[in-house]
Amino acid sequence: QKEVEQNSGPLSVPEGAIASLNCTYSDRGSQSFFWYRQYSGKSPELIMFIYSNGDKEDGRFTAQLNKASQYVSLLIRDSQPSDSATYLCAVIKAAGNKLTFGGGTRVLVKP
Amino acid sequence: DAGVTQSPTHLIKTRGQQVTLRCSPKSGHDTVSWYQQALGQGPQFIFQYYEEEERQRGNFPDRFSGHQFPNYSSELNVNALLLGDSALYLCASSFLSGGYSYEQYFGPGTRLTVT
């Protein structure tokens, strides 16, 4: 079992719709959770982080964390073609500070 | 406020050669982590440097080594290059506070091709 799992996609979303991305993790000791956006050929860009159960909103992005079920999700509202990218979920375990990444979900927003 | 910088941007090396990649962290950050990202995969942790020492290491062979300088910049060295070392090498900087670093910000990466 991979430590962090994501559906590889592609997730195809019409422009203006909500894109919903999911991520599950195996280590219950994981404490901090991150979403990075990565455009093709570029480096990952941090777009959201969440540490506590519940929802966290930042502009068109909402991160949701459920530690009991060991999943974290990202909602992108009013999706735009510029949101087309690979979204990487990452976790930090309690015992260390390295980021452990999932394989990423490719999102395609169609005009 | 300068972000994380890396050099060079691209590099082509031959099997068996050695390579050195460089990273300068974001202003105010003191910790540098290195990651390797193969095509189509998520980044894999190589090691982390804090206070000029290797603080944590991932599952990479000893051919991968690093260094951190007093100004917090860092180098990643890879010896005896293999074709499988071809990847995007990412540097991430963060601020280590109370033994727990929070958000990590990535530089633009160095694309290494081994032929």
Side-chain angles (χ1 to χ4, degrees), chain A residues 31-32 34 36 38 41-46 49 51 88 92-104, chain B residues 33 35 37 40-45 48 55-56 88 90 96 99-109 111:
Chain A
Q31 288 197 354
S32 305
F34 304 85
Y36 287 83
Q38 187 172 28
K42 303 295 185 182
S43 64
E45 174 193 7
L46 180 62
F49 55 89
Y51 303 148
L88 296 162
I92 284 183
K93 298 179 184 180
N97 301 283
K98 66 173 185 178
L99 286 165
T100 301
F101 283 87
Chain B
S33 302
Y35 295 81
Q37 187 177 25
Q41 298 181 22
Q44 297 293 314
F45 176 75
Q48 182 184 79
R55 189 170 178 273
Q56 194 174 13
L88 179 66
L90 297 162
L96 187 57
Y100 196 94
S101 61
Y102 294 90
E103 303 91 73
Q104 296 188 21
Y105 296 89
F106 285 91
R111 173 73 62 186

Side-chain angles (χ1 to χ4, degrees), chain B residues 46-57:
Chain B
I46 303 174
F47 42 55
Q48 182 184 79
Y49 277 86
Y50 170 68
E51 291 188 337
E52 302 180 50
E53 291 190 357
E54 184 181 288
R55 189 170 178 273
Q56 194 174 13
R57 188 178 183 93

Side-chain angles (χ1 to χ4, degrees), chain B residues 11-85:
Chain B
L11 206 51
I12 300 175
K13 290 287 189 177
T14 304
R15 273 182 304 176
Q17 287 188 317
Q18 178 264 345
V19 68
T20 297
L21 311 182
R22 296 176 175 81
C23 170
S24 290
K26 184 180 170 67
S27 178
H29 284 182
D30 57 9
T31 303
V32 172
S33 302
W34 288 92
Y35 295 81
Q36 179 196 67
Q37 187 177 25
L39 202 61
Q41 298 181 22
Q44 297 293 314
F45 176 75
I46 303 174
F47 42 55
Q48 182 184 79
Y49 277 86
Y50 170 68
E51 291 188 337
E52 302 180 50
E53 291 190 357
E54 184 181 288
R55 189 170 178 273
Q56 194 174 13
R57 188 178 183 93
N59 188 25
F60 279 80
D62 292 343
R63 297 187 297 109
F64 290 77
S65 63
H67 187 77
Q68 186 180 35
F69 299 94
N71 67 353
Y72 308 119
S73 67
S74 176
E75 287 183 349
L76 163 65
N77 300 292
V78 187
N79 295 322
L81 285 167
L82 303 173
L83 295 179
D85 294 331

Side-chain angles (χ1 to χ4, degrees), chain A residues 12-77:
Chain A
S12 186
V13 179
E15 183 176 357
I18 296 175
S20 178
L21 291 75
N22 295 314
C23 169
T24 59
Y25 59 95
S26 60
D27 190 334
R28 286 194 173 275
S30 300
Q31 288 197 354
S32 305
F33 307 85
F34 304 85
W35 285 99
Y36 287 83
R37 177 176 63 197
Q38 187 172 28
Y39 293 113
S40 181
K42 303 295 185 182
S43 64
E45 174 193 7
L46 180 62
I47 56 172
M48 288 289 289
F49 55 89
I50 186 166
Y51 303 148
S52 303
N53 275 329
D55 295 359
K56 180 182 178 182
E57 187 175 316
D58 184 359
R60 296 185 297 111
F61 299 102
T62 298
Q64 300 173 317
L65 175 62
N66 184 323
K67 289 187 176 180
S69 300
Q70 294 177 246
Y71 82 79
V72 57
S73 62
L74 179 71
L75 300 178
I76 308 174
R77 291 183 301 280

